[in-house]
Amino acid sequence: MEIKYVTTTCPYCGAGCTFNLVVKDGKISGVQPCQRGPVNEGKLCPKGIFGWEFIVSEDRLKTPLIKDKATGEFKAATWDEALAVIAENFKKYSPEEIAVISSARCCNEDNYAMQKFARIVLKTPNVDHCARLCHAPTVAGLNMVFGSGASTNSFDDLAIADCVFIIGSNNFEAHPLAGRRIMQAKEKGAHIIVCDPRVTPTAKQAHLHIQHFPGTDIQLLNCLMKQIIERGWVDEEFVKNRTNGYEELKACVTQDKYSIENTSVVCGVPAEKIEQALEWLRECQHKTAFVHCLGITQHTVGVDNVRSIAFVQTLLGNIGKPGCGVNALRGQNNVQGSCDMGALPNVYAGYLSVMNPDLAKKVADYWGVDEVPNGKLGLHIPEMLETFEEHPDKLKCLYLMGENPVMSDPNSKGVEQAMENCEFLVVQDIFETETTKYADVVLPGSCYAEEDGTQTNAERRVQRFRKAADAPGESKLDWEIMKMIAEKMGYGKYFTWETTEDVFNEMRGITPQYAGITYAKLDGDGIQWPCPTEDHPGTPILHIDKFAGMPDGKAKLQAIEHRAPAEVIDSDYPIWLTTGATIWHWPSGSMTRRCEQLDRDAPTAWLEMNPADAAKYNIADGEKVILYSRRGEVAVNARVTPLIKEGVFFMPFHFTEARANLVTNTAYDPVSRTPEFKVCAVNVKKM
Ligand code: SF4
């Protein structure tokens, strides 16, 4: 038996752990830790260890499928047949009638290929990907304040901080190996503060747990800023030399409504807990790291939540220093990279704005085409789905890669209608999913274990995937599929890549942050961008001397008021619902639920409720109940636990048989268009 070990990167969360795939006689048979990992130092979470089995699942798509219009059944097809149907149909639609959705689950090269395909072949500005559902507010918010939408610091900084302030992140479950770096800080004496409505495993590790109501983050952060200002703790030199807008911010946050007393009421948090947090922020000034995740971003005020975090750290002078910063734990493995690649409606690769005609010309010249879509923002994912659902005469065709919106987007019934209305739908994936059943053509793509490629983790570290086995059956690499469609449609001369590395090298020629990164350089521990030249070592900490992305080099402070969520509780829907992940599964469950060990530990969904709420409704632990909102209802087992705040329910979102998104709200942030998954009003009844 031939055994080989292929060093690669975990495909789940944005921590970006390194491990070895074990390959026996050409077939992947397990994972072994690898001491080389700069992030995980040989350790892995359950998803890292057990999450490989989906790769060899019998359920993998192996051939293209074409839907028989008469019967509605899929039939296996050759690539020639599938490409012919796709090319014929794609040609029917104008650029405004067609959209593409790329995926943060796919490597950088696939995302670069997808946005190039959209802009050159389909000529559409409507390109987006699933960062829209998670960290788009981080990108927009940090970009507005600091001129760059990326995390400012590294995981190494979490380990050396004297205080780690975690808000809206259950990293012990969602990013366990990033959480391990925080525990390293705790072991050396750092204060750990967690703000979360639930007593999560992360909160259990904290010295201080601030259990605020969902949707009250700005109230809490403004309260902290009011005290920082009024107690004279502002880093005056930093604010004077490196920021604009301080007086506007000060006038806002020092209002009486942001007093500790009022915040205690609005957030439902004892005043002494806020006092304790303030004491540690003061004690650990210039050595405090903030960490946030989807508990901050998935709100109609997600961008403002992120900006408020950035403001706290700016007032304290905690930017551009070791052990500090605003550290966003990206959800999917390649959220950072797929944004960097320009799979977004407002920017090309390297964050070159589509609204700037000079940059549009630069991209067009680089690709050798007359022009690329510019001067108009394309549709974001929520706008695409809304248009398919309500105006199917305007948007008619969708090309999806690696995404499953029926499971992952809010208000599943509305998404199902949107998919039903779609005149021509192509889905490229590795499994049949809840969304593929609406497709006209399904294309078998590949996964991380079958491709040489790169991804970029939450600390901007560009890392390698390495091919361990062939994709099953007739499956192909995702960028190869786009190349084949482009050739079929007469655009082959723009897609001449022979290898994944060819795609990377084209990408880095137009993406300044990646200009100095080569596959050879990535053979070590990866490189943190920006890396402008091949002799540059990469950049662990941003904004050390100035905010280079801001026109005047200074951070922009502004007034931000606390606003209520889009939907608030009332007598019909008197309970707040918040949704999230468990350590055993990853978003829509299509990969982790095909891994026996993971599925055995978390086989189905549950609804967490406080014993006081359970008593009000006379619900027993384990009883099946109906959770309902203004959008729909879902049957789910109750889990009665004091680990959730009274008046708040929690439900994980991985389970198709009990889809949390049947009840979640489609309202979205006006800037980032990220839906408010983290808070809506619900009620519950016995079955
Ligand atoms: Fe994979 Fe994230 Fe777990 Fe690391 S922490 S093994 S990247 S899921």
Side-chain angles (χ1 to χ4, degrees):
M1 179 185 293
E2 190 201 0
I3 300 181
K4 66 176 181 173
Y5 300 89
V6 178
T7 303
T8 191
T9 307
C10 179
Y12 291 110
C13 84
C17 296
T18 308
F19 58 56
N20 286 324
L21 278 170
V22 183
V23 188
K24 290 184 182 164
D25 286 339
K27 190 173 176 194
I28 292 167
S29 64
V31 158
Q32 265 204 351
C34 158
Q35 297 304 325
R36 269 180 54 183
V39 176
N40 54 313
E41 298 167 318
K43 309 283 190 298
L44 292 171
C45 83
K47 290 189 287 291
I49 297 169
F50 301 121
W52 60 273
E53 289 173 63
F54 77 88
I55 303 167
V56 293
S57 164
E58 273 309 306
D59 295 348
R60 287 286 301 268
L61 287 167
K62 297 180 188 73
T63 66
L65 304 172
I66 298 176
K67 189 177 275 173
D68 182 322
K69 288 207 183 313
T71 65
E73 299 291 317
F74 283 116
K75 284 191 179 155
T78 65
W79 276 104
D80 272 350
E81 289 165 340
L83 294 173
V85 173
I86 292 170
E88 182 193 331
N89 279 281
F90 277 177
K91 282 178 183 169
K92 285 185 194 164
Y93 300 103
S94 69
E96 292 73 32
E97 291 174 331
I98 197 162
V100 307
I101 298 180
S102 196
S103 176
R105 200 170 64 179
C106 298
C107 65
N108 285 327
E109 292 79 355
D110 293 336
N111 278 283
Y112 178 82
M114 181 53 118
Q115 58 89 35
K116 181 176 179 182
F117 179 87
R119 288 171 167 135
I120 287 187
V121 180
L122 304 178
K123 300 183 172 42
T124 181
N126 302 325
V127 50
D128 203 2
H129 76 280
C130 53
R132 187 68 47 210
L133 309 179
C134 64
H135 270 285
T138 297
V139 179
L142 293 185
N143 192 45
M144 288 164 84
V145 182
F146 299 146
S148 164
S151 275
T152 63
N153 285 60
S154 302
F155 294 142
D156 284 348
D157 289 295
L158 302 181
I160 62 166
D162 289 341
C163 176
V164 183
F165 192 110
I166 302 165
I167 182 164
S169 158
N170 178 15
N171 48 72
F172 265 64
E173 293 204 76
H175 301 83
L177 271 298
R180 179 175 165 271
R181 308 311 297 272
I182 297 170
M183 282 308 96
Q184 289 173 338
K186 184 182 174 187
E187 281 160 17
K188 70 165 190 53
H191 303 300
I192 310 296
I193 304 169
V194 170
C195 306
D196 197 305
R198 297 170 66 213
V199 187
T200 60
T202 311
K204 284 182 185 168
Q205 293 293 333
H207 300 106
L208 173 65
H209 179 203
I210 294 180
Q211 202 173 1
H212 61 318
F213 283 120
T216 60
D217 304 283
I218 293 173
Q219 177 75 34
L220 180 64
L221 294 163
N222 278 358
C223 172
L224 297 178
M225 285 191 269
K226 176 179 170 67
Q227 298 305 318
I228 288 166
I229 290 169
E230 292 179 348
R231 297 180 189 193
W233 299 347
V234 171
D235 183 333
E236 302 216 344
E237 200 184 326
F238 190 91
V239 168
K240 178 165 164 265
N241 295 329
R242 300 200 49 192
T243 73
N244 282 317
Y246 173 63
E247 291 304 325
E248 180 187 325
L249 171 72
K250 180 180 172 185
C252 172
V253 301
T254 53
Q255 295 174 86
D256 289 346
K257 62 185 173 183
Y258 298 121
S259 67
I260 291 179
E261 297 71 30
N262 194 46
T263 299
S264 173
V265 174
V266 173
C267 298
V269 175
E272 53 273 22
K273 292 205 170 193
I274 300 173
E275 281 289 358
Q276 180 63 79
L278 283 161
E279 192 179 307
W280 287 342
L281 288 177
R282 169 61 176 152
E283 181 190 322
C284 306
Q285 191 163 7
H286 299 164
K287 214 64 188 294
T288 293
F290 265 62
V291 173
H292 75 267
C293 193
L294 308 188
I296 276 292
T297 57
Q298 290 180 330
H299 291 276
T300 45
V301 293
V303 171
D304 284 348
N305 280 346
V306 173
R307 292 165 76 208
S308 298
I309 290 170
F311 294 165
V312 174
Q313 287 292 68
T314 303
L315 292 186
L316 290 167
N318 289 344
I319 299 296
K321 298 181 177 72
C324 289
V326 180
N327 300 278
L329 296 181
R330 308 287 177 157
Q332 190 68 52
N333 60 322
N334 198 27
V335 169
Q336 179 65 59
S338 44
C339 291
D340 301 340
M341 296 303 106
L344 292 167
N346 59 328
V347 289
Y348 311 112
Y351 300 98
L352 306 180
S353 172
V354 303
M355 302 306 283
N356 181 325
D358 293 338
L359 295 178
K361 180 164 185 330
K362 180 178 173 178
V363 174
D365 288 349
Y366 188 69
W367 284 340
V369 295
D370 291 340
E371 66 170 357
V372 288
N374 71 91
K376 183 184 164 204
L377 297 179
L379 298 173
H380 304 78
I381 290 173
E383 294 167 329
M384 290 177 193
L385 297 178
E386 211 171 84
T387 310
F388 278 122
E389 186 184 352
E390 293 170 15
H391 307 285
D393 55 322
K394 293 201 170 118
L395 194 58
K396 300 177 178 173
C397 176
L398 181 63
Y399 179 15
L400 276 177
M401 174 178 72
E403 281 300 297
N404 182 9
V406 170
M407 272 298 287
S408 56
D409 288 55
N411 185 17
S412 304
K413 288 285 174 212
V415 180
E416 285 174 345
Q417 188 60 56
M419 294 298 101
E420 187 74 50
N421 291 353
C422 187
E423 211 171 270
F424 185 69
L425 174 62
V426 178
V427 181
Q428 185 167 312
D429 211 315
I430 58 173
F431 295 112
E432 288 194 57
T433 67
E434 292 76 5
T435 302
T436 54
K437 72 177 181 190
Y438 297 94
D440 296 282
V441 181
V442 179
L443 301 175
S446 50
C447 76
Y448 78 105
E450 294 143 0
E451 174 154 35
D452 284 311
T454 61
Q455 69 149 32
T456 308
N457 80 352
E459 52 171 3
R460 295 171 278 104
R461 187 182 299 275
V462 185
Q463 305 169 292
R464 280 295 311 278
F465 290 129
R466 291 181 183 82
K467 180 174 175 175
D470 289 330
E474 299 296 313
S475 306
K476 297 204 177 288
L477 302 183
D478 289 294
W479 65 261
E480 281 180 338
I481 297 172
M482 288 170 258
K483 175 178 168 174
M484 286 160 61
I485 303 173
E487 284 167 349
K488 193 82 182 172
M489 293 178 72
Y491 292 86
K493 67 178 179 177
Y494 303 111
F495 296 82
T496 55
W497 315 304
E498 294 297 326
T499 65
T500 312
E501 188 172 2
D502 291 343
V503 185
F504 185 87
N505 284 333
E506 180 184 312
M507 176 278 293
R508 73 189 185 96
I510 191 75
T511 307
Q513 298 87 340
Y514 287 66
I517 303 176
T518 63
Y519 269 28
K521 261 177 97 168
L522 293 177
D523 270 345
D525 285 343
I527 302 282
Q528 287 172 277
W529 69 251
C531 177
T533 57
E534 289 191 19
D535 57 359
H536 192 284
T539 310
I541 301 177
L542 298 179
H543 318 308
I544 289 176
D545 302 317
K546 62 176 180 176
F547 295 99
M550 298 301 278
D552 57 3
K554 294 185 175 182
K556 190 172 177 60
L557 303 176
Q558 285 178 296
I560 295 176
E561 299 279 9
H562 164 69
R563 279 128 40 222
E567 184 178 65
V568 295
I569 54 174
D570 57 22
S571 55
D572 292 333
Y573 301 93
I575 303 277
W576 299 108
L577 175 74
T578 188
T579 61
T582 162
I583 192 169
W584 309 106
H585 290 300
W586 204 237
S588 69
S590 62
M591 298 192 295
T592 51
R593 295 200 74 194
R594 288 183 168 91
C595 299
E596 194 187 334
Q597 308 234 32
L598 298 175
D599 204 43
R600 194 174 56 212
D601 282 318
T604 193
W606 65 90
L607 181 69
E608 270 177 35
M609 61 178 69
N610 187 279
D613 291 318
K616 262 183 242 162
Y617 290 95
N618 190 26
I619 291 170
D621 187 39
E623 187 176 345
K624 192 142 231 176
V625 296
I626 303 284
L627 176 76
Y628 62 100
S629 74
R630 289 181 177 84
R631 272 82 43 201
E633 64 178 41
V634 54
V636 59
N637 295 323
R639 181 178 289 179
V640 179
T641 168
L643 300 181
I644 186 93
K645 199 174 175 71
E646 187 178 346
V648 182
F649 287 172
F650 166 82
M651 189 170 168
F653 46 51
H654 316 287
F655 301 94
T656 187
E657 68 278 18
R659 267 186 257 162
N661 280 326
L662 284 162
V663 300
T664 50
N665 195 356
T666 53
Y668 51 72
D669 183 290
V671 176
S672 70
R673 308 293 205 275
T674 300
E676 194 155 55
F677 291 99
K678 283 289 180 277
V679 53
C680 69
V682 295
N683 206 339
V684 69
K685 61 189 175 194
K686 290 164 82 75
M687 280 191 79

